[in-house]
Structures are given as C-alpha cells and as structure tokens.
Amino acid sequence: RRRHKPSAEVLAQGIIKGDITYLSRAITLVESSNPLHLEKANTIIKHCLPYANKSVRIGITGVPGVGKSTFIEAFGSQLTTNGKKVAVLAVDPSSSLTKGSILGDKTRMEDLVKDPNAFIRPSPSGSSLGGVARKTRETIILCEAAGFDTIIIETVGVGQSETAVHSMVDFFLLLKLAGAGDELQGIKRGIIEMADTIVINKADGDNLKAAKLAKVEFNRALHLYPAKASGWQPKVTLCSALQQEGIDAIWDIINDYVEATQKNNYFEHHRNEQNKFWLLQTIEDRLKSDFFGDSKIKEALKSQLELIENGKTTPFAAAEYILSL
Ligand code: GDP
C-alpha cells in the first residue's frame, strides 16, 4: 500500500501545532529541486507566514575550530533551560561540493540534539549560495511557525556566506580567538563591520590573559567604525564555550539589543528591509536559474563559448545572440 502523503494544508496545520515530523517534512520540500515539491512548499509557507516572525534570529560565524558548535551547544542548552525553543540552522554553500555538510552536523551537538526544545537542521545543499540562502530563509519561517522563538543560523567564514546570513538575522555574532597574533589584520573588515557582538571564545586556562588583551584591542578597533544604523554600539565579550562561562552575559547583550532596537523601531524596519532585499534576490535567483537551466540556452551558450575561444565572435555579440533567444 502506498504511504499516504499529507497535503500542504495538513502539513501546515501540523507545523503550527508544533509537530516536528511535519516540520522536517516541509523543510525537505523546501529543499527539493522538484517543481511540484516547491509548489507544495510555497503553499505551506503561505499558511505558516501569519504564525512566523515572533522570534529573535541570531547569526553566528567564525573560522573552523573557533568553537561554533561547542558554543551553540552551550548557548542553546542555556536557552532551552530558560524555557526557550531553539532552532539551529546552517548556511554552508560548500556542502554541495564536499557532498556533506561540515556545519550543523547533528553529531557535533550531542546534548542539543537530544533536547526536546531544540531543533537542529544541517545546511541545505545547493549549487549556489543564493539557493542555499533561499532555502534557509524559508526554513526560518517554518521553524517560527512551529513555535521556535530563537533561531540560530550558523555559518563558516567562506566567501559571501556571512553576508547572506547577516541579511537574514536580527543580530550578528562573531566568534574570535585571542592570541592568534593577527587580532586585527587577519579579519576581513566587512565581517567586523557586520558584527553586533564579538565574542572571544576559549577565554580559559592559559588563554585567559591573551583573551583579555584581545578584548581591549577589539574594543579599540570597533570604535573606529562608523556608527551603526541600528544605533547599537557593538560589544566585545569573553566566553569559554567549553567551560560554559560567559554564556549568560551574551544572552543579556542580545536581549539588550532587541529591547533597544524595538524601542527605536529599527528591529521592524530592518526586517522589512531584509524582506524587500529578499524579494529582489529571489527574482534574480529564479531568473538566473530558469535562464541557465533552459536546454536551448545551454546549447547556445556552449557553441558561443566555442566561437569565442576560436576568436570567431565577441562576448557582446555572443551575449546579444543568447539573450535574443
Ligand atoms: P567549530 O569548528 O567552530 O564548530 O569548533 P568546535 O566547536 O568543533 O571546537 C573546536 C575545538 O575547540 C574542539 O576541540 C573544542 O573542544 C575546542 N573548544 C571549543 N570551545 C572551547 C573553549 O571555550 N575553550 C577551550 N579551551 N576549547 C574550546
């Protein structure tokens, strides 16, 4: 007997009631490349939208080994102990290359994965960052509708993925290490500029002194940046994810941020701006994938590339021709 597949409406109702199995199924539809699945996913999202939005979305980034999974495990467990419902998602565009995600891997967060008030989902795979980001963004909506009030989105410092995550969260947290000797040189300016808080992890044992020094340095550096549109002055704080120290203080900072930005209306404004940005981004992605996915275009592109290689046409003439198709 064929297994009965619940309709979009049934799935949506289940999600709104907090059914994790239905949530997982819906996310699988969001992540699918089958147009029928996408259509179903869109219906589910439409039903879920009125129930989404009541959350804090937190982006977490840092180089491999900085302690992201250890931190999220400690931070997330602290939150669920305080009655929060935590969803951990990941954005890892490299997963399509390595055929496996290095982020959000369930085995990396042993306690949290067993926690009934936590939901962990590895990075969707995809050929482009745009695709991965779109799927994650839709997954945020579904998780919020299922009652998750704290959404953590993890990404590793590979290329543009921090920017993509920054554009889908309320609060952006950068994890750093002290004593690497390159406190200020080694970091991409743009990422520091995005951070609402820099957390210096592994501030324990022999590392503590260096961590305190790094805090002073980062504080000094942060003051050189222009004021943020949010009106928020980024904080620098120490933490030991391993020993679970400094975790409470980080949650306090995030709460202060949410309170301050709700008061000055930046919180809502920022989400609106993000929605507008994502509208345009979605159109761009769809146009691109429809265009380059078209078999006629694929063939023409191949032959025009050959002509270019043999010096038989110019890039502009070739583009003109392909676009005219
Ligand atoms: P990720 O690659 O950023 O997810 O880093 P992990 O969470 O996997 O941590 C990398 C290594 O650093 C592991 O061996 C952790 O045990 C260790 N680690 C993480 N946080 C701390 C910390 O606060 N203090 C110390 N001493 N080690 C830590």
Side-chain angles (χ1 to χ4, degrees):
R1 223 173 60 173
R2 276 190 63 205
R3 204 170 59 139
H4 174 68
K5 285 219 178 74
S7 69
E9 286 74 15
V10 169
L11 280 172
Q13 276 156 20
I15 291 168
I16 292 159
K17 287 196 193 108
D19 187 312
I20 299 300
T21 312
Y22 280 9
L23 174 63
S24 296
R25 278 206 202 180
I27 296 173
T28 304
L29 292 174
V30 160
E31 292 176 351
S32 170
S33 53
N34 178 335
L36 288 175
H37 291 171
L38 286 186
E39 202 183 307
K40 196 167 174 183
N42 282 337
T43 308
I44 299 170
I45 292 166
K46 202 177 78 194
H47 283 290
C48 284
L49 256 179
Y51 300 87
N53 245 2
K54 293 175 202 96
S55 71
V56 180
R57 303 168 184 165
I58 303 164
I60 295 183
T61 191
V63 296
V66 72
K68 288 181 297 301
S69 50
T70 312
F71 176 79
I72 292 170
E73 170 110 321
F75 183 62
S77 301
Q78 181 72 52
L79 290 177
T80 59
T81 304
N82 293 340
K84 296 281 174 195
K85 286 192 73 180
V86 181
V88 180
L89 313 176
V91 169
D92 179 9
S94 65
S95 61
S96 55
L97 300 176
T98 55
K99 298 286 176 212
S101 168
I102 52 158
L103 286 175
D105 178 348
K106 296 187 180 214
T107 56
R108 293 163 74 238
M109 300 169 196
E110 280 177 25
D111 289 334
L112 214 50
V113 76
K114 285 181 265 169
D115 192 326
N117 289 316
F119 176 77
I120 303 179
R121 183 86 185 187
S123 178
S125 57
S127 50
S128 71
L129 175 59
V132 172
R134 193 249 325 147
K135 293 168 191 176
T136 305
R137 192 158 166 91
E138 293 179 356
T139 298
I140 294 175
I141 305 287
L142 298 178
C143 289
E144 290 177 355
F148 290 94
D149 50 35
T150 312
I151 314 289
I152 295 175
I153 302 162
E154 177 190 11
T155 192
V156 72
V158 283
Q160 294 298 302
S161 65
E162 290 103 339
T163 312
V165 169
H166 182 249
S167 71
M168 59 177 93
V169 298
D170 307 309
F171 186 92
F172 198 69
L173 190 157
L174 172 63
L175 278 178
K176 291 295 301 174
L177 291 177
D182 62 349
E183 267 88 73
L184 298 176
Q185 302 95 303
I187 29 179
K188 285 172 252 165
R189 186 188 158 96
I191 294 167
I192 292 267
E193 226 162 342
M194 285 190 276
D196 295 302
T197 270
I198 296 174
V199 173
I200 301 163
N201 190 34
K202 307 197 187 183
D204 48 42
D206 293 343
N207 244 330
L208 188 56
K209 210 173 136 191
K212 284 180 178 163
L213 276 173
K215 182 177 169 175
V216 175
E217 289 295 307
F218 276 119
N219 259 323
R220 192 177 297 153
L222 280 176
H223 277 96
L224 300 176
Y225 289 102
K228 283 179 173 288
S230 57
W232 172 258
Q233 173 63 43
K235 306 277 183 290
V236 185
T237 181
L238 302 182
C239 148
S240 170
L242 198 61
Q243 297 179 3
Q244 301 177 20
E245 278 164 22
I247 306 285
D248 276 342
I250 293 164
W251 182 236
D252 289 344
I253 290 173
I254 295 172
N255 274 327
D256 287 349
Y257 175 88
V258 171
E259 203 179 300
T261 54
Q262 277 177 345
K263 211 180 252 171
N264 69 12
N265 290 325
Y266 179 80
F267 194 91
E268 272 303 309
H269 167 77
H270 185 222
R271 280 202 177 183
N272 273 330
E273 290 299 308
Q274 289 179 330
N275 283 334
K276 288 191 231 165
F277 170 74
W278 280 92
L279 164 71
L280 297 174
Q281 195 77 9
T282 305
I283 292 174
E284 224 172 86
D285 281 351
R286 184 75 65 81
L287 285 176
K288 255 195 209 165
S289 66
D290 285 357
F291 184 77
F292 287 111
D294 186 278
S295 56
K296 210 165 77 186
I297 298 296
K298 272 189 197 163
E299 262 174 48
L301 188 59
K302 200 168 149 236
S303 53
Q304 291 296 314
L305 283 171
E306 267 171 28
L307 289 176
I308 287 186
E309 216 165 302
N310 298 324
K312 297 228 167 83
T313 186
T314 66
F316 312 104
E320 207 56 52
Y321 168 71
I322 296 170
L323 286 167
S324 75
L325 296 175

